[in-house]
Amino acid sequence: MKKTLAALICASTLMGGAMADEIVRTPAPGNFPISTVVEVPSTAKTYYLSGVVPAKQEDGTFGNTEAQTVSVLKGIEAQLKAKGLEMSDIVKMQAFLVATPETGKMDFDGFMKGYNQYFGTEAQPNTPARSTFEIKALYLPEWFVEIEVIAVK
């Protein structure tokens, strides 16, 4: 009887610990594809990725904001993969957008078109807590997007 009780207490403790180790994401209202809060257990390993900028496309340009966002997210995906992580492991994102010459303001819609290919999809429903900023410039004047992320496993 004592052994059975001890086993139940041990199993209960282990299960409770497993449940406490889950990452909890609070979705933004109105189905906007970000989390307003992401709760990360203390047992998770944290990865901080430096800002990633776009790569040149086949035509030798960096492309528009949407193309640059996709390029940057592909770069982030490759860095995460090298560490055994996936895009779904991202819990925090900061996106820095530069005004385009055509409009004089950041192309948020173009950014979202690229972002929505990676987050809040049926295949990858996890969304990070995110901030998006319009900044004056990046290192190259042709760059409109730089993204840095924090991922956990």
Side-chain angles (χ1 to χ4, degrees):
M1 178 74 163
K2 286 184 180 181
K3 287 183 181 180
T4 304
L5 184 57
L8 285 173
I9 291 171
C10 184
S12 173
T13 302
L14 290 174
M15 287 173 56
M19 293 175 73
D21 288 343
E22 292 181 17
I23 295 170
V24 179
R25 298 167 192 263
T26 304
N31 292 325
F32 193 71
I34 66 169
S35 293
T36 56
V37 176
V38 178
E39 299 172 54
V40 178
S42 62
T43 56
K45 186 171 183 178
T46 305
Y47 300 80
Y48 299 87
L49 276 68
S50 292
V52 177
V53 294
K56 281 192 177 178
Q57 298 183 330
E58 290 179 13
D59 66 2
T61 70
F62 292 100
N64 62 17
T65 300
E66 179 182 356
Q68 289 191 25
T69 301
V70 170
S71 173
V72 168
L73 293 173
K74 282 182 183 178
I76 290 170
E77 186 173 43
Q79 287 185 26
L80 291 173
K81 192 176 220 177
K83 294 290 184 183
L85 301 166
E86 300 177 6
M87 296 297 272
S88 60
D89 296 319
I90 295 173
V91 296
K92 175 70 172 132
M93 175 184 290
Q94 291 184 295
F96 305 95
L97 306 180
V98 174
T100 63
E102 298 83 23
T103 64
K105 62 182 183 173
M106 70 178 180
D107 179 9
F108 188 75
D109 291 338
F111 168 74
M112 287 302 296
K113 286 179 185 175
Y115 174 88
N116 286 334
Q117 294 176 39
Y118 288 83
F119 298 96
T121 67
E122 190 173 316
Q124 202 295 93
N126 291 348
T127 56
R130 190 191 80 203
S131 300
T132 306
F133 307 91
E134 180 177 339
I135 61 171
K136 182 173 177 152
L138 291 167
Y139 180 72
L140 291 181
E142 300 89 2
W143 289 345
F144 304 137
V145 180
E146 181 172 349
I147 300 174
E148 58 185 40
V149 300
I150 299 171
V152 298
K153 192 69 167 180

